[in-house]
């Protein structure tokens, strides 16, 4: 089990330029880090049941709440009982990704098998742009204040998805 309350983390790679206003992996500075997790296993796969995770990052990104049961292997990533919450984003329920290998989906994203049940979710451009700032040049993402509302129940390969619900 892990129980971390209100701690601080900083990492600086002085060989990397600083990138303000985005999550800068060469210069991380997080405060108010909270992590409560159990059933953590790391061998050929990584599994954990996260009861609570939260932090504030110097870029302005704030993770208010993360919960869920997570599995990562060479061939899949699962998040069940998922809740991701920031001031402007809420994602909940289930996401399963299955793939022959990570290299295979880098070459052909169509090989990615997806199962996502995401009822009444909101995803903020502001949060997306912390992680992928180059998307700001795209019309769909150029306004950080835009919030997408998603209600989805989809499954299948990315090149042939079936949507039971998609709004």
């Amino acid at each position: 089990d892990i129980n971390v309350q209100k701690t601080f983390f900083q990492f600086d790679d002085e060989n990397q330029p600083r990138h303000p206003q985005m999550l800068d992996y060469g210069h991380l500075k997080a405060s108010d880090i909270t992590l409560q997790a159990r059933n953590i296993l790391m061998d050929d796969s990584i599994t954990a049941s996260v009861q609570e995770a939260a932090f504030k990052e110097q870029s302005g990104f704030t993770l208010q709440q993360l919960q869920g049961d997570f599995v990562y292997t060479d061939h899949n990533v699962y998040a069940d009982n998922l809740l991701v919450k920031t001031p402007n984003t809420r994602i909940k329920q289930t996401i399963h990704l299955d793939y022959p290998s990570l290299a295979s989906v880098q070459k052909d994203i169509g090989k990615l098998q997806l199962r996502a049940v995401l009822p009444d979710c909101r995803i903020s451009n502001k949060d997306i742009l912390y992680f992928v700032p180059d998307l700001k040049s795209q019309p769909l993402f150029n306004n950080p204040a835009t919030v997408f509302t998603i209600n989805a129940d989809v499954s299948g390969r990315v090149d042939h998805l079936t949507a039971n619900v998609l709004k």
Side-chain angles (χ1 to χ4, degrees):
D1 291 4
I2 293 177
N3 186 357
V4 175
Q5 298 293 320
K6 302 294 181 190
T7 195
F8 174 86
F9 172 82
Q10 183 167 355
F11 169 79
D12 284 302
D13 181 346
E14 296 303 332
N15 295 314
Q16 297 294 320
R18 292 190 181 272
H19 300 284
Q21 304 305 313
M22 64 178 274
L23 203 58
D24 181 354
Y25 298 102
H27 303 278
L28 295 170
K29 186 176 181 181
S31 61
D32 296 330
I33 301 169
T34 297
L35 175 61
Q36 293 179 4
R38 355 174 223 216
N39 302 326
I40 301 163
L41 300 170
M42 291 189 278
D43 47 37
D44 291 346
S45 62
I46 301 170
T47 63
S49 179
V50 177
Q51 282 69 53
E52 180 183 2
F55 65 87
K56 296 176 184 171
E57 210 280 325
Q58 68 180 345
S59 62
F61 179 77
T62 299
L63 178 65
Q64 293 175 316
Q65 190 174 9
L66 172 67
Q67 295 175 337
D69 300 314
F70 301 94
V71 175
Y72 170 81
T73 75
D74 290 340
H75 300 285
N76 48 47
V77 176
Y78 295 163
D80 290 306
N81 305 308
L82 177 66
L83 176 60
V84 178
K85 193 172 175 188
T86 74
N88 302 301
T89 294
R90 184 187 71 232
I91 302 169
K92 61 181 184 175
Q93 200 77 25
T94 302
I95 301 173
H96 289 188
L97 304 174
D98 293 286
Y99 41 85
S101 69
L102 287 175
S104 70
V105 293
Q106 286 175 329
K107 292 178 185 171
D108 181 2
I109 192 71
K111 292 181 180 178
L112 180 69
Q113 182 84 22
L114 169 69
R115 171 76 176 125
V117 179
L118 304 168
D120 303 317
C121 295
R122 295 185 317 267
I123 301 175
S124 164
N125 270 358
K126 183 176 181 181
D127 290 335
I128 293 169
L129 293 171
Y130 283 120
F131 295 92
V132 193
D134 292 343
L135 285 177
K136 191 167 187 172
S137 64
Q138 302 295 319
L140 188 63
F141 297 99
N142 65 8
N143 182 355
T146 299
V147 176
F148 299 99
T149 301
I150 298 171
N151 187 11
D153 182 348
V154 297
S155 61
R157 282 178 43 142
V158 169
D159 60 3
H160 190 77
L161 279 177
T162 300
N164 295 322
V165 176
L166 184 58
K167 297 180 185 176

